[in-house]
Amino acid sequence: MKKIILLAAISVVCISGYTQLVHTVTDPVEWINPLMGTDSKVDLSNGNTYPAIAVPWGMNFWVPQTGKMGDGWQYQYSADKIRGFKQTHQPSPWMNDYGQFAIMPVTQHLVFNQDARASWFSHKAEIAKPYYYSVYLADADVTTEITPTERAAQFRFTFPKTDSAFIVVDAFNKGSYIKIIPSEKKIIGYSTKYSRGKLANFKNYFVIRFDKAFSLSYTWHDSILVKDSLEMSALHSGAIIGFSTTKGERVHVAVASSFISFEQAELNLNREIAQDDFDATERKAKAIWNKTLNHIIIEGGTEEQVKTFYSTLYRTLFFPNKLYEPDAQGKIMHYSPYNGKVLPGYLFGGTGFWDTFRALYPFLNLVYPSISKEMQEGLINDYKEGGWLPEWSSPGYANIMIGNNSASVVAEAWIKGLRGYDIDTLYAALIHGANNEGPMDAVGRKGIAYYDKLGYVPYDAGINENAARTLEYAYDDFAIYQLGKALHRDKSSLDRYLVRSRNYRNLFDKETKLMRGKNKDGSFQSPFNPFKWGDAFTEGNSWHYTWSVFHDIEGLKNLMGGNTAFIQMLDSVFVMPPTFDDSYYGETIHEIREMQIANMGQYAHGNQPIQHMIYLYNYAGQPWKAQYWVREAMKRLYKPTPDGYCGDEDNGQTSAWYVFSALGFYPVCPVTAQYVIGTPLFQKVVLHLENGKAFTIIATGNSEQNKYIRDAQLNGQAYHKNWIDHYDMMKGGSLHFTMSPTPDKNRNTGKASYPYSLSTDPMIATVN
């Protein structure tokens, strides 16, 4: 008997120790967990996401609202009550929302206040998918279901037997309007609430259509119920309609909105919902998701890896989101947040280039260039209507973050082959933004006069985050140079940007081998603590920002003293303790805490400045270290769970890092055509490109242990570079890796294997 028990125990160990791989993904949307990253709060972000019930790049998203009205943390996994189901356009809790309104079923008591109408719920009775959401509201004894289109959605409420069934519509505060039309079983209204900038003539018009007649129709404003009026305009207005229901009766509600007019909202509703029932809309939304996701087919990963991959891919497909609407003739129109007019053409919003220039836009340009082209057309309208390119759009100019990274977003798209739009206007916009201060700190270049005169933004000029600005301006100048060269602009005019692209050198401190703020007189800031967050840098310290020389790693390496010193500095990031100085902020901001608890030294992957740093080992002859640390970051810092991110997800950027890294490469310098190779996560990936070609990445023998590349072949030929060219991928073909559990320390160590750097560009003569 003891032998039998022992054999059984051994059998269990063997089974539990075996990692089963997923070899076929036929329904990718079902692998997504929209709750990934939702277990977050102000002082610790595990993603700061919400379950976005929407279609890719949709104008409107829907979310169960657990937070109070106007709270950016509109859904938190730790919450236990839902206050309503909100239409949202929110890119992040820090940016908050605009144009929101909410719908909420209630029974027994006629209440509309957000606290009174709130209902307990449990995640055990919640289903969250990109195309479908369902939750049981315990206090109301109602199940709510939602399924989306681009500008509309369908609700299905399953009520108990009651003569007191109600649906509350909340148009939110800051000025709103509501009107009940019982004869049409319809409610219309608008919200004017927004959080950022100044928006002229802003309204989010909505139309809500019911399939059940109303037995009760009241409006309300603020805390007052109004029984004798079907129309209300107030600081905070809303509506309540009521009816009797039988047990299990389903009430269907179709809703759409528009930033243009009530008529356009009605048009959006009729066009996108038409005569479809709830199930038909759900099927269509699911099909859209699978069609979009199927651009990338993966094989040979664990269940957790597959779930994480598709959950992060889901996050890359929302922002910037469409803010345009086809009119009755199909002409593309939009409300302009810059001048308050309704104008023709594309428009997008809800993204910060400081985050997303790094990987999100490169990902769209590779896999979804058609939507990226629309985004470029939207940027043309941003510039024409507002006079500047937005660095953060929410939906217009938001005065937040630093840099002039629209230069990278515009230049990269053209360099990666997008065509068919007015690039001359965009180039003019880049030149304008690069040489002028804007009407706010986050538009144009703050400190440009100093930058032009001194070659840096000085520490003692009263300009915050000056070293970070200098480093980003230098890269952005390189982006303008690259685009100007591609457009065959006059060389003499381009030399200015080429010279300025080397301005990063002005902040390099030979003593510490780090970037350091510099005063107007040429002296470095003193005292200097390289672990101090903020101050001269943006949401990071010198150890994070020193690597922000995307375009000239060879130049940075030379400043540090060559390969050996450079590698030592890279290694130091991971071996130092997570020491920090938070005195600039006066408190430990959440980004600091997320670095501290990640147990990866000074590597602060939860914020953007250092996310490319792991790949820099490829520039100094030790690519196997990039392979090791890429796998470690993917394994340690991402999970398909509510606490699944290591910091803010940030509008697709932190997710795009994972998606690229899982494919096996990353765009360290987006405005070149190179992706720097890391290590593939899956045994096989097929990229179905929009040009009809397919590019296949095969990793023979790939596993958790076999993380190192032993050799590589591109289209059957031996491949010895530490990067892959965008245009080689666009031709279709295959990149075949053979994986190993041990690193080959002699492979791809020479200069011939290194990715692009400005300092080694043979086409550029030395410009001092």
Side-chain angles (χ1 to χ4, degrees):
M1 180 60 70
K2 289 181 180 178
K3 289 181 179 178
I4 293 173
I5 293 173
L6 179 60
L7 288 171
I10 292 172
S11 177
V12 169
V13 170
C14 290
I15 292 171
S16 63
Y18 173 73
T19 302
Q20 187 173 1
L21 299 181
V22 177
H23 292 293
T24 304
V25 176
T26 57
D27 206 7
V29 71
E30 299 300 336
W31 290 86
I32 292 170
N33 180 11
L35 301 181
M36 179 178 173
T38 59
D39 191 9
S40 299
K41 52 187 177 181
V42 174
D43 55 357
L44 185 67
S45 173
N46 289 310
N48 266 334
T49 61
Y50 57 87
I53 315 306
V55 295
W57 306 292
M59 190 174 85
N60 304 324
F61 308 159
W62 289 89
V63 59
Q65 182 192 2
T66 65
K68 288 185 177 293
M69 180 183 64
D71 188 346
W73 279 260
Q74 54 193 4
Y75 179 96
Q76 290 177 290
Y77 191 81
S78 58
D80 44 36
K81 285 188 177 181
I82 289 175
R83 289 179 162 85
F85 300 93
K86 187 175 82 163
Q87 186 190 95
T88 180
H89 311 92
Q90 177 174 293
S92 81
W94 304 106
M95 300 303 294
N96 216 309
D97 211 346
Y98 59 91
Q100 61 267 54
F101 63 95
I103 300 171
M104 183 68 177
V106 177
T107 59
Q108 301 178 49
H109 305 291
L110 198 160
V111 293
F112 56 89
N113 174 275
Q114 61 173 325
D115 292 324
R117 74 190 187 220
S119 174
W120 286 81
F121 81 106
S122 168
H123 297 298
K124 301 178 184 67
E126 179 186 41
I127 300 170
K129 299 177 183 294
Y131 63 90
Y132 172 83
Y133 179 84
S134 173
V135 69
Y136 175 67
L137 302 173
D139 292 283
D141 190 21
V142 172
T143 296
T144 296
E145 300 169 274
I146 311 171
T147 189
T149 70
E150 282 192 348
R151 299 169 188 83
Q154 296 226 49
F155 284 76
R156 185 162 62 193
F157 300 109
T158 303
F159 281 93
K161 176 178 172 56
T162 180
D163 60 0
S164 301
F166 309 104
I167 293 177
V168 177
V169 178
D170 187 341
F172 278 57
N173 61 354
K174 299 295 180 71
S176 51
Y177 167 82
I178 205 101
K179 181 179 181 180
I180 306 172
I181 310 173
S183 61
E184 299 180 33
K185 295 183 288 190
K186 188 164 71 175
I187 296 174
I188 65 172
Y190 61 73
S191 167
T192 67
K193 187 177 177 68
Y194 63 87
S195 301
R196 297 278 177 172
K198 294 182 180 180
L199 304 180
N201 304 322
F202 175 75
K203 291 182 176 69
N204 186 30
Y205 301 90
F206 56 83
V207 176
I208 308 173
R209 187 173 65 204
F210 300 78
D211 71 344
K212 187 175 177 66
F214 313 155
S215 59
L216 174 151
S217 301
Y218 297 155
T219 58
W220 55 271
H221 68 89
D222 307 303
S223 60
I224 300 170
L225 183 66
V226 180
K227 296 184 177 182
D228 59 355
S229 177
L230 298 178
E231 191 171 10
M232 180 60 61
S233 180
L235 184 66
H236 185 182
S237 62
I240 303 175
I241 54 98
F243 30 69
S244 298
T245 55
T246 59
K247 181 176 175 58
E249 182 176 351
R250 290 174 165 178
V251 176
H252 295 85
V253 179
V255 55
S257 67
S258 168
F259 295 115
I260 295 174
S261 66
F262 282 122
E263 293 76 15
Q264 182 67 48
E266 189 86 42
L267 180 61
N268 293 342
L269 183 67
N270 293 333
R271 177 184 284 132
E272 297 189 9
I273 299 296
Q275 301 304 312
D276 288 349
D277 62 12
F278 184 96
D279 293 333
T281 298
E282 180 186 349
R283 286 192 299 271
K284 288 180 178 180
K286 180 176 181 177
I288 290 170
W289 271 107
N290 274 335
K291 180 180 179 181
T292 307
L293 297 168
N294 274 326
H295 280 265
I296 306 178
I297 303 296
I298 61 176
E299 299 178 19
T302 66
E303 285 194 11
E304 181 177 277
Q305 289 168 345
V306 173
K307 288 177 181 177
T308 305
F309 180 82
Y310 282 113
S311 297
T312 53
L313 179 55
Y314 154 83
R315 290 287 169 191
T316 68
L317 303 178
F318 285 129
F319 290 106
N321 64 314
K322 298 175 181 178
L323 298 182
Y324 64 81
E325 307 170 56
D327 68 10
Q329 288 72 45
K331 185 178 180 181
I332 300 298
M333 304 294 293
H334 67 269
Y335 157 81
S336 172
Y338 306 105
N339 58 30
K341 299 178 181 178
V342 175
L343 296 167
Y346 292 99
L347 199 78
F348 288 77
T351 191
F353 293 157
W354 183 85
D355 303 289
T356 54
F357 85 86
R358 305 164 194 267
L360 188 276
Y361 278 93
F363 178 68
L364 298 180
N365 289 330
L366 174 64
V367 184
Y368 305 101
S370 58
I371 193 72
S372 192
K373 175 180 175 291
E374 288 187 7
M375 293 170 185
Q376 295 296 314
E377 296 187 66
L379 288 174
I380 294 169
N381 291 323
D382 290 328
Y383 176 59
K384 287 181 175 179
E385 295 160 23
W388 303 84
L389 291 176
E391 300 298 329
W392 236 118
S393 56
S394 192
Y397 300 126
N399 195 23
I400 188 170
M401 305 310 293
I402 63 131
N404 181 217
N405 297 304
S406 53
S408 182
V409 173
V410 170
E412 187 214 348
W414 189 264
I415 288 165
K416 297 283 177 65
L418 275 66
R419 295 293 186 271
Y421 54 94
D422 182 3
I423 190 61
D424 291 329
T425 294
L426 282 177
Y427 187 75
L430 297 191
I431 299 301
H432 176 63
N435 296 291
N436 294 279
E437 289 202 1
M440 59 184 71
D441 290 356
V443 172
R445 293 193 183 182
K446 188 174 179 62
I448 183 61
Y450 288 115
Y451 180 78
D452 255 346
K453 180 180 178 180
L454 302 175
Y456 57 92
V457 180
Y459 180 79
D460 58 348
I463 299 173
N464 66 316
E465 302 169 4
N466 38 83
R469 292 181 191 274
T470 299
L471 294 170
E472 295 194 26
Y473 293 169
Y475 166 68
D476 296 330
D477 281 328
F478 177 73
I480 293 171
Y481 170 78
Q482 286 284 85
L483 178 58
K485 187 170 62 171
L487 295 175
H488 307 292
R489 292 298 193 263
D490 180 69
K491 181 180 180 300
S492 60
S493 67
L494 293 181
D495 282 348
R496 178 185 192 187
Y497 301 99
L498 181 59
V499 169
R500 294 200 314 196
S501 74
R502 292 187 168 97
N503 280 347
Y504 69 88
R505 300 179 299 181
N506 297 326
L507 296 188
F508 186 78
D509 173 23
K510 293 180 180 179
E511 181 182 344
T512 62
K513 298 182 181 177
L514 293 168
M515 297 296 176
R516 184 172 175 178
K518 183 177 279 189
N519 296 316
K520 286 181 280 189
D521 64 4
S523 63
F524 282 113
Q525 69 173 104
S526 183
F528 172 60
N529 181 354
F531 301 110
K532 185 176 183 178
W533 283 60
D535 197 16
F537 300 99
T538 303
E539 295 181 2
N541 63 34
S542 182
W543 276 103
H544 306 147
Y545 248 99
T546 290
W547 316 106
S548 294
V549 188
F550 313 96
H551 57 298
D552 197 12
I553 300 302
E554 185 72 19
L556 175 63
K557 188 175 65 176
N558 292 338
L559 289 174
M560 288 185 177
N563 280 358
T564 300
F566 185 74
I567 291 291
Q568 288 175 347
M569 292 293 285
L570 289 172
D571 289 344
S572 296
V573 170
F574 297 109
V575 300
M576 288 185 294
T579 304
F580 62 86
D581 174 356
D582 62 5
S583 59
Y584 175 77
Y585 299 107
E587 61 177 332
T588 304
I589 62 173
H590 75 94
E591 291 91 347
I592 295 176
R593 189 68 70 210
E594 289 141 16
M595 178 197 74
Q596 184 189 36
I597 65 177
N599 193 27
M600 293 183 74
Q602 286 291 319
Y603 184 66
H605 189 87
N607 213 18
Q608 280 64 48
I610 204 170
Q611 287 182 351
H612 68 294
M613 166 255 171
I614 289 175
Y615 286 89
L616 302 189
Y617 285 104
N618 285 284
Y619 294 74
Q622 294 191 6
W624 67 88
K625 287 186 177 177
Q627 294 158 28
Y628 173 82
W629 284 113
V630 165
R631 281 289 183 93
E632 287 296 298
M634 285 193 283
K635 182 173 67 174
R636 296 193 203 182
L637 304 179
Y638 293 81
K639 302 286 182 186
T641 55
D643 63 345
Y645 288 99
C646 57
D648 284 353
E649 195 282 324
D650 279 329
N651 320 116
Q653 166 57 30
T654 301
S655 292
W657 184 95
Y658 186 92
V659 172
F660 263 125
S661 295
L663 298 180
F665 47 85
Y666 186 80
V668 169
C669 184
V671 295
T672 68
Q674 294 182 359
Y675 305 98
V676 180
I677 291 173
T679 177
L681 185 62
F682 300 103
Q683 292 180 352
K684 183 178 179 181
V685 176
V686 181
L687 299 179
H688 291 286
L689 304 170
E690 284 190 350
N691 63 7
K693 307 287 187 180
F695 189 81
T696 303
I697 302 152
I698 299 170
T700 300
N702 205 5
S703 68
E704 183 175 353
Q705 294 73 30
N706 294 0
K707 63 173 70 77
Y708 299 105
I709 298 171
R710 192 176 74 201
D711 58 56
Q713 292 184 332
L714 178 62
N715 298 326
Q717 301 296 315
Y719 194 71
H720 300 294
K721 295 186 174 80
N722 291 336
W723 52 272
I724 179 72
D725 186 87
H726 173 82
Y727 284 98
D728 284 340
M729 296 176 66
M730 296 305 290
K731 295 173 187 174
S734 66
L735 181 60
H736 191 159
F737 298 106
T738 302
M739 309 302 291
S740 169
T742 56
D744 181 350
K745 296 184 179 181
N746 295 312
R747 181 183 175 276
N748 290 13
T749 59
K751 291 183 178 180
S753 296
Y754 296 174
Y756 176 89
S757 283
L758 175 63
S759 291
T760 56
D761 189 333
M763 303 300 293
I764 298 176
T766 300
V767 179
N768 295 317

